[in-house]
Amino acid sequence: MVSAKVSRSAVHGAVALSLLAVPAQAAPRKAGAEPRPAAALPAPDTAGMAAVLNSVVAKGAPGAMARIDDGAKVYKTTRGVADRTTRRAIMTGDRFRVGSVTKTFSAVVLLQLADEGRLALDAPVNRYLPGLLPDDRITVRHVLGHRSGLYDYTNDMFADSVSGFETVRNKVFTYRQLVNLSLRKPRTNAPGAAYSYSNTNFVVAGMLIEKLTGHSVRTEYENRVFEPLGLRDTFYVHPGTKIPGQHASGYLTADRAGAQPVDATDQTASWAQSAGAIISTARDLDTFYSALVRGKLMSAARLADMERFTRVNSTTSYGLGLRRRDLSCGISVYGHTGAVQGYYTYAFTTKDGKRSLTALANASNNSAVLNTLADSLEPAFCGKQAAPAKGTRSAATPPEREDIAPSAPREQ
């Protein structure tokens, strides 16, 4: 199904987001020019967005959608289907698993606790969780910025994507079991020495939330973020397996070429929990990131901590549970990417929160889909630009890798 309608309050469509994997090390980000204010942004390129989503579907995703919230206008674009069996068209209001976009929610809760004086970012994790980690030098800040050196247990869990998923699809883990899987392997670097993306870090974040509050992460997400922002389509159902209400089914690309994709929609997501188990919609993610950068969820000092970035590669930097992407037109956007079995997500906003994008593809384990979905940022924030030479990709969107294992997604 194709739809592209722009109105003062709505424009129909949707885009797919995905999580990026990043190199194991990164140098600190160099100071650069201030991001261009949202008021100076060109209008979104709706034709360009439609072309990106067409390509995402052509490369193997059953469906793709994008929603751009530009204040007075909302632009929506959709392509393909939400369900391969019923052939229902995908819609921008469909709920989906957001994967590592969850990490920003977890970071927000911990930064709120820091505002309340219940947590010090530069204190050792072991101050709050005695004996959990093998090194007292690992701080809360290291964990939230992926600089702890803790090995990512999902590298082993999903070395074989489909069989690994089927092994854990209905399994329920404790946080400590997941951390113990990580601690079986050597650390990737000394605390604070380098950036190395690891889901283990945000499992530790979930443990900190529950220890400091005495409540489940679900309760803290709901009380501190979902309800205050009116995120009525955002849920944390772990260990439940179902996505409530109307949703897009998610499809895991088979490890064997030519085999049918696996419907991965129903799962506990217990292997991810506070690192990747939230369910949401494009509207709610646009609202969340806009509110975040506008300072509605924490103090200015804590937001500054969150936005203290480490350079990851030529276009990406990482703060505390927050990514910065630098686009070809000189604009920087802030948010996160998400990869969980069956779904790739991109959710980003401008520095002032006046324009936000959420894009989704209901496929995973497919590098062609992932790399193409990354192109959704350019038409959303940079508008119409000169097209790159035929057969080449934009310099602003170099090939990405999933930052939830497997570290090298299947080439299609």
Side-chain angles (χ1 to χ4, degrees), residues 61-62 131 194 200 234 265 280 289 324-325 357 388:
T200 308
T234 304
T265 310
S280 192
Y289 278 110
R324 169 176 167 155
R325 289 294 296 268
L357 161 75

Side-chain angles (χ1 to χ4, degrees), residues 154-361:
T154 66
N155 290 334
D156 300 324
M157 187 178 284
F158 301 124
D160 294 312
S161 182
V162 173
S163 62
F165 169 64
E166 294 294 3
T167 298
V168 302
R169 177 198 280 262
N170 295 305
K171 192 168 183 177
V172 177
F173 293 93
T174 66
Y175 283 128
R176 191 169 290 272
Q177 284 175 326
L178 297 175
V179 171
N180 287 344
L181 290 175
S182 168
L183 296 181
R184 292 176 185 173
K185 294 294 183 74
R187 280 172 280 158
T188 57
N189 51 262
Y195 172 96
S196 183
Y197 191 97
S198 174
N199 288 287
T200 308
N201 290 312
F202 279 81
V203 170
V204 173
M207 296 181 75
L208 285 167
I209 291 169
E210 296 197 345
K211 179 63 179 291
L212 291 168
T213 66
H215 301 144
S216 67
V217 293
R218 175 178 179 172
T219 296
E220 294 302 309
Y221 291 152
E222 290 174 349
N223 291 345
R224 293 174 176 271
V225 185
F226 300 173
E227 293 177 6
L229 294 183
L231 307 183
R232 61 178 180 269
D233 294 309
T234 304
F235 306 92
Y236 185 84
V237 302
H238 175 268
T241 61
K242 301 292 185 181
I243 300 176
Q246 181 175 297
H247 59 272
S249 297
Y251 297 93
L252 175 64
T253 303
D255 293 320
R256 179 172 56 84
Q260 290 297 305
V262 175
D263 187 332
T265 310
D266 293 347
Q267 58 168 301
T268 61
S270 191
W271 63 267
Q273 298 190 49
S274 51
I278 282 177
I279 294 161
S280 192
T281 61
R283 174 193 170 277
D284 278 6
L285 293 184
D286 284 352
T287 299
F288 169 64
Y289 278 110
S290 177
L292 173 62
V293 299
R294 290 178 191 230
K296 294 184 177 181
L297 292 171
M298 64 189 69
S299 69
R302 297 293 77 76
L303 184 58
D305 282 322
M306 193 177 216
E307 295 179 346
R308 189 177 300 169
F309 292 99
T310 294
R311 176 67 70 180
V312 169
N313 58 29
S314 62
T315 62
T316 304
S317 301
Y318 204 93
L320 302 184
L322 188 70
R323 293 188 187 277
R324 169 176 167 155
R325 289 294 296 268
D326 302 323
L327 305 182
S328 65
C329 56
I331 293 166
S332 294
V333 291
Y334 302 78
H336 215 288
T337 49
V340 63
Q341 291 92 353
Y343 305 92
Y344 286 137
T345 300
Y346 273 82
F348 285 85
T349 191
T350 50
K351 177 66 173 175
D352 59 9
K354 291 183 177 180
R355 181 180 296 177
S356 303
L357 161 75
T358 295
L360 171 79

Side-chain angles (χ1 to χ4, degrees), residues 357-369:
L357 161 75
T358 295
L360 171 79
N362 59 342
S364 68
N365 197 32
N366 183 323
S367 61
V369 167

Side-chain angles (χ1 to χ4, degrees), residues 4-25:
K5 189 194 300 185
V6 180
S7 72
R8 191 156 185 77
S9 60
V11 180
H12 299 300
V15 176
L17 305 192
S18 71
L19 284 180
L20 312 175
V22 292
Q25 297 187 4

Side-chain angles (χ1 to χ4, degrees), residues 376-396:
S376 63
L377 295 174
E378 293 284 319
F381 297 104
C382 294
K384 293 183 179 180
Q385 300 186 90
K390 187 175 182 180
T392 66
R393 288 173 45 77
S394 167

